[in-house]
Amino acid sequence: MKNKLFKTVPALVLAATLAAGTFAFTACGDPEEKGPETQLPPGAQIEGLTDKPLEGEIFADYTKGSADAMHPTNGYTNGSPFNNFWTTDCVTYDGGVMKLHIKDNPTGSVEQFTEYYGGEERSYQNFGYGDYEVRMKPAKKTGTASTFFLYTGPSDTNPNTGEAHPWDEIDIEFLGKDTTQVQFNYFVNGVGGHEYMYDLGFDASEEFHNYGFRWEEDAITWFVDGEPVFKINGSENVPIPSHESKIIMNYWCGAPAGEAWMGKFENPDELAPEYEWIKVNSQPAWGEIPEKVEVEEFEGDWTTIDAISTTFDRSDNGVGTDYAITAAEDGKSATVTWTKAGNYDNVNFDVTEAAADKNWLHLVLENTGDEAITGRINIRNTEANATINQYGFGNGSELSTAIGEGTTVNLTAGQKMEIEIYYTDVADTVEIMLDSLQANAIDLAGSLKISDIKLAKQGDIVIPDRGDNQPVVINGESIKFANNAYVITTDTEANSIDVTYSGIGKESWQNISADVANIASTKNIFNATVTNNGEKAVKFRVDILAKNALPGAVTNPDADTPRHMACNLSATQDGQEAYTNLQWGGSEFTVAPGKTTKITVTYDTRYSPTQLQFLIDSIAGTASESNSGDITISEMSFTGEGAVDPDIGGSTTPDTPVVVPEGDPVPLTFEDQNITPAYTLDKTTATETLNMQYSGLAGNAYAFVTATDAAQYLNGKDTFTITVKNNGTVAVNVRIDIVGSIKDGNSNVINQSAVATGGTGIFTDTDWGGTKLEIAAGEEVTIVITYDESTARGAATAVLVSCDSHRGDTNTYSGNVTISGFKFTSSTAAAE
């Protein structure tokens, strides 16, 4: 063997730009620069601190190179106020330190919040209360942040409980515009605003210093060079983060929305924060450090192997990607040109015959254009619907490969790269995604030559166990599931399938699916029994996919159809209502270890249902994490008479009049408490009518205006009424939350149901929270929300209103709405 390398098996990267909100705006501060002499957050203490020094053992020692317990983040963006796409190329280990970098992203854009690449490193495991310390030197660069923090959020699903975490966070953050200060902050269930700027008395960018914090159940104490300098004392009115979190360090630059806080970023350079070590005295609560595996280079001589002839083709997902392919007459090479790319479109070619008994692919890619190209190579087994790359090399250096998602390549203008990729299973197709690793098509011109396609064998051919995967009978028809990255074993006698899996990325959207068009089109309810045979909770989603999408589904502005095509209306689990997302699609369920559950999904036949899809342990988490499990799906059937419920998600039709409670409106004081103010409010005092204007607001900003003085009216009642007038020229998506005092499950929102005098797609999410609906331009809608103070989420504390920023996409929105008619009544008043 020429050479042996070692690496950690990479987990799946996202197959689409992630909705922020899922990934939260980690390590962000307040745009107002708060000095130590300004207003302190509640519970703060800066004098008389006698806390003992931090304790801990070395957890990550970068003086010796990379750390097994940590890994670079790769393949997605957090959205505004970040303006960078995380990539492993921006994390380096050199000279006894880890460095995080910011680089130009030639295929990014400020509209997508990906104008630059950024570096982030995070732990595989989640940790609880304890001491955390880092030795670091931040970068002195305006418009950037160098950080060390703990974070958890809905991307973390606790395997012991099956519950997704809220957004909890504890921060140490340096703004590059002034590294003589350090900012401390924390979030509890997504609520921040606790920033404190501490004057260091030295420039942190010049030398290494120690920074850390002690996280206790009732307090957080921050330290600098071993001395306690700032403390938050928790109380009933000052909650402290309480959920196990990941250790994260990142270096990022701000989008325009963050410039007022951190300054404007310009011109990436060699400046980078440097980290020597991390110390921790807390044991991991859950999560696993992947074992290292042996990676071997190809030992043969490619020059002695003939290039194959093949047929080149292209995919088209309807977003306007314009790949033009000019293939050589002998089929041994092709040149691809484009001026627009996106939605993970690809150029592909067939290797079925040549790859029948091979396990290495060789090809040469040459960037013949004037701009850099970012791409991904996927070696595919199409029958299994699986990408089978294991690792690869480009010009002798290892390339980033995500199991199940392919090998990433970056080519500068004029660069030529010889690529070798090892794969398992049997290959039949090779896909090359060119500047298309984003959900929407954007203007990116490029030219690439593909040549020297060769295949070879080295060692044994590894064929993964895919089970027997025989059809099951559903409603009298023989139905077979495509098994993707899962192993399906069929019990024909029990008419069930057993699905086992390992290494499934938590945000990979991997699935098993089957064609059920003939059955589903005449029914409207899907039923199944699911048993969790594993040792950890399993979270899965069921989609009834359709040719058309429900009103209100998230749409792709460059496509003719919405991005998500599930026609689910509602769901139950063991007779109790389960969460169905009408905006993004699908019904979600969680099954505890050793438990069996019965589920139903009600769907709308008007949208032409075609497929039944299970996304198993692949819908919630972080791309760098993976799941293993074993479930049995049985008693699958379709019932119902094919009837449809016109009240999608509880929306109101003209045939169902809304009774608006009587009573006089009361004044409320709404405040914009976002990191960077998202809305312009015409009043900042108590008012019965408030105008809200906004522009350039990201669809994944999750920005609200909040009325905390509503508590005096909310308590003891159960109905809130509000009128919303859309003064703009385009439709506005509005979300209204009544929040309780206690975080329970996924949220502290206590909305139970809602009706409206107009609007479309009204939906109340009792899992994550909030009542949402679309309001047309010029339309005025009165919304009546019922809430419940008797649940585990506690008494009502505030009313929150969001416009367009909870859509979960990376588009930007502008609007002008007026909210008024704030009434608080009991349900008996609403019924009169």
Side-chain angles (χ1 to χ4, degrees):
M1 298 181 184
K2 284 185 178 179
N3 187 23
K4 289 187 179 180
L5 305 175
F6 291 88
K7 71 169 186 175
T8 300
V9 179
L12 299 172
V13 295
L14 287 177
T17 301
L18 295 176
T22 302
F23 279 82
F25 300 146
T26 55
C28 285
D30 195 307
E32 299 179 5
E33 300 177 29
K34 299 178 181 178
E37 70 285 351
T38 62
Q39 181 180 354
L40 292 173
Q45 180 181 354
I46 58 176
E47 296 180 352
L49 299 177
T50 58
D51 301 80
K52 66 179 182 179
L54 293 171
E55 300 174 347
E57 301 293 330
I58 292 289
F59 177 75
D61 189 352
Y62 297 113
T63 66
K64 298 178 181 178
S66 61
D68 293 344
M70 306 288 292
H71 66 92
T73 299
N74 187 63
Y76 60 86
T77 175
N78 288 27
S80 180
F82 292 71
N83 191 19
N84 53 265
F85 187 88
W86 304 122
T87 173
T88 55
D89 292 340
C90 287
V91 182
T92 62
Y93 313 94
D94 182 44
V97 298
M98 177 186 72
K99 295 181 180 180
L100 303 178
H101 305 269
I102 295 174
K103 302 179 181 179
D104 276 316
N105 179 2
T107 61
S109 68
V110 68
E111 292 79 16
Q112 301 259 340
F113 309 115
T114 58
E115 195 171 5
Y116 302 95
Y117 290 126
E120 179 178 271
E121 177 123 322
R122 59 174 59 202
S123 62
Y124 286 104
Q125 299 164 305
N126 284 51
F127 296 81
Y129 300 121
D131 293 356
Y132 300 85
E133 190 172 21
V134 66
R135 185 165 178 81
M136 65 175 290
K137 184 168 61 174
K140 193 179 185 69
K141 174 78 173 177
T142 297
T144 69
S146 307
T147 73
F148 174 76
F149 61 104
L150 294 182
Y151 165 77
T152 188
S155 55
D156 282 334
T157 300
N158 190 317
N160 302 314
T161 64
E163 293 184 351
H165 279 183
W167 173 7
D168 280 4
E169 184 173 331
I170 304 174
D171 294 334
I172 294 174
E173 185 166 39
F174 295 89
L175 300 182
K177 67 180 184 179
D178 184 359
T179 49
T180 67
Q181 294 182 321
V182 60
Q183 178 174 276
F184 306 135
N185 191 18
Y186 70 97
F187 290 76
V188 178
N189 193 24
V191 177
H194 311 107
E195 295 86 355
Y196 176 72
M197 298 296 293
Y198 175 72
D199 282 322
L200 292 165
F202 56 81
D203 189 334
S205 69
E206 295 178 354
E207 295 180 346
F208 284 94
H209 291 269
N210 299 351
Y211 310 92
F213 48 81
R214 174 169 292 126
W215 174 29
E216 300 172 284
E217 189 173 357
D218 59 355
I220 310 170
T221 307
W222 283 265
F223 292 74
V224 174
D225 287 331
E227 296 294 328
V229 297
F230 180 65
K231 187 172 186 175
I232 293 291
N233 295 291
S235 66
E236 183 178 352
N237 297 321
V238 183
I240 297 295
S242 59
H243 294 80
E244 297 93 348
S245 300
K246 283 184 169 55
I247 302 168
I248 304 179
M249 297 158 288
N250 58 28
Y251 181 49
W252 56 279
C253 54
E259 289 178 5
W261 169 54
M262 60 197 312
K264 184 176 182 179
F265 178 81
E266 296 178 321
N267 303 323
D269 52 33
E270 297 302 314
L271 290 175
E274 300 179 7
Y275 299 80
E276 285 191 344
W277 49 252
I278 300 169
K279 289 183 179 180
V280 177
N281 79 338
S282 175
Q283 294 299 313
W286 44 272
E288 298 178 358
I289 300 173
E291 295 182 5
K292 288 188 174 182
V293 297
E294 189 174 304
V295 176
E296 300 179 3
E297 293 185 4
F298 183 69
E299 295 180 334
D301 184 354
W302 289 110
T303 63
T304 65
I305 301 173
D306 292 335
I308 67 168
S309 297
T310 186
T311 302
F312 295 88
D313 201 352
R314 50 161 287 180
S315 72
D316 184 0
N317 291 318
V319 300
T321 302
D322 59 359
Y323 294 135
I325 302 172
T326 303
E329 290 186 6
D330 60 5
K332 292 186 176 182
S333 65
T335 297
V336 185
T337 57
W338 62 96
T339 58
K340 180 176 285 190
N343 210 28
Y344 302 86
D345 280 338
N346 63 77
V347 173
N348 54 76
F349 53 87
D350 181 79
V351 294
T352 303
E353 184 176 346
D357 59 348
K358 305 296 191 300
N359 59 3
W360 279 87
L361 169 73
H362 171 281
L363 72 163
V364 173
L365 300 182
E366 182 179 1
N367 183 349
T368 53
D370 298 326
E371 303 291 337
I373 297 171
T374 297
R376 194 169 81 200
I377 303 169
N378 306 325
I379 304 175
R380 301 278 292 163
N381 179 306
T382 53
E383 181 180 359
N385 191 25
T387 298
I388 58 180
N389 309 38
Q390 298 300 306
Y391 52 83
F393 301 90
N395 289 343
S397 298
E398 189 176 1
L399 298 171
S400 174
T401 300
I403 303 301
E405 289 294 330
T407 300
T408 301
V409 294
N410 294 286
L411 299 171
T412 58
Q415 184 179 6
K416 189 174 185 179
M417 182 178 291
E418 181 180 14
I419 296 169
E420 307 162 289
I421 300 174
Y422 170 72
Y423 61 91
T424 57
D425 210 340
V426 177
D428 53 46
T429 305
V430 176
E431 301 171 345
I432 306 179
M433 297 175 173
L434 300 169
D435 282 346
S436 62
L437 299 177
Q438 63 275 331
N440 300 329
I442 54 180
D443 294 334
L444 292 167
S447 177
L448 180 85
K449 182 178 180 181
I450 307 168
S451 63
D452 239 17
I453 304 167
K454 302 176 180 181
L455 292 114
K457 177 185 176 183
Q458 180 172 287
D460 296 331
I461 304 294
V462 178
I463 307 296
D465 177 16
R466 299 198 183 279
D468 58 6
N469 194 20
Q470 299 300 310
V472 292
V473 178
I474 302 178
N475 287 55
E477 289 199 18
S478 181
I479 303 295
K480 184 176 181 179
F481 285 86
N483 63 347
N484 203 335
Y486 301 87
V487 177
I488 298 178
T489 303
T490 306
D491 185 334
T492 54
E493 185 175 345
N495 197 34
S496 65
I497 57 173
D498 188 73
V499 185
T500 58
Y501 52 96
S502 62
I504 296 294
K506 287 189 175 182
E507 287 278 7
S508 64
W509 320 111
Q510 300 281 8
N511 61 79
I512 64 171
S513 61
D515 184 350
V516 294
N518 291 337
I519 308 171
S521 60
T522 60
K523 306 294 181 181
N524 70 310
I525 302 172
F526 170 70
N527 314 274
T529 297
V530 179
T531 300
N532 181 357
N533 307 307
E535 299 178 352
K536 296 180 179 180
V538 172
K539 186 169 185 177
F540 65 95
R541 191 176 92 189
V542 178
D543 294 353
I544 308 299
L545 298 178
K547 292 181 180 179
N548 303 296
L550 294 176
V554 174
T555 58
N556 185 329
D558 293 310
D560 295 330
T561 57
R563 184 181 302 144
H564 291 275
M565 309 295 283
C567 62
N568 304 37
L569 292 177
S570 61
T572 66
Q573 181 172 1
D574 297 328
Q576 301 297 313
E577 184 179 1
Y579 172 54
T580 295
N581 191 324
L582 299 180
Q583 189 179 29
W584 288 91
S587 302
E588 298 180 9
F589 311 90
T590 299
V591 189
K595 300 297 183 180
T596 296
T597 188
K598 292 183 179 295
I599 65 169
T600 70
V601 175
T602 301
Y603 58 94
D604 196 328
T605 57
R606 292 178 297 177
Y607 298 92
S608 304
T610 59
Q611 283 194 309
L612 168 63
Q613 178 174 271
F614 286 83
L615 298 94
I616 307 167
D617 264 346
S618 62
I619 61 169
T622 302
S624 57
E625 299 175 287
S626 62
N627 287 317
S628 300
D630 179 348
I631 67 170
T632 299
I633 306 173
S634 60
E635 300 178 335
M636 287 180 280
S637 67
F638 286 84
T639 58
E641 300 302 321
V644 295
D645 182 356
D647 300 336
I648 297 172
S651 61
T652 304
T653 68
D655 297 331
T656 308
V658 174
V659 177
V660 178
E662 295 182 359
D664 296 327
V666 299
L668 293 178
T669 306
F670 284 90
E671 297 178 319
D672 187 333
Q673 298 178 335
N674 299 291
I675 294 167
T676 300
Y679 303 97
T680 300
L681 309 181
D682 68 335
K683 297 174 184 175
T684 57
T685 57
T687 178
E688 294 183 6
T689 302
L690 177 72
N691 181 256
M692 302 168 55
Q693 297 186 46
Y694 54 99
S695 63
L697 181 58
N700 55 17
Y702 295 86
F704 292 83
V705 295
T706 305
T708 56
D709 58 351
Q712 60 184 308
Y713 305 109
L714 288 161
N715 299 152
K717 304 293 192 338
D718 62 8
T719 308
F720 171 64
T721 302
I722 184 173
T723 297
V724 183
K725 172 68 180 297
N726 181 359
N727 307 308
T729 58
V730 297
V732 170
N733 195 289
V734 175
R735 170 174 158 178
I736 303 159
D737 293 359
I738 313 297
V739 296
S741 59
I742 302 171
K743 167 65 178 64
D744 175 67
N746 294 321
S747 174
N748 63 346
V749 178
I750 60 175
N751 302 38
Q752 298 299 305
S753 62
V755 291
T757 59
T760 58
I762 187 169
F763 170 63
T764 295
D765 182 349
T766 57
D767 185 10
W768 291 98
T771 294
K772 311 169 190 177
L773 77 162
E774 194 89 3
I775 301 177
E779 186 179 14
E780 182 174 88
V781 175
T782 297
I783 306 153
V784 182
I785 299 171
T786 300
Y787 59 94
D788 188 354
E789 291 190 292
S790 68
T791 71
R793 295 180 177 179
T797 60
V799 171
L800 280 64
V801 179
S802 168
C803 296
D804 283 328
S805 72
H806 53 272
R807 290 175 176 267
D809 58 39
T810 57
N811 302 319
T812 56
Y813 298 88
S814 299
N816 182 321
V817 303
T818 299
I819 57 176
S820 62
F822 314 122
K823 298 180 184 180
F824 302 86
T825 55
S826 65
S827 55
T828 54
E832 291 175 356

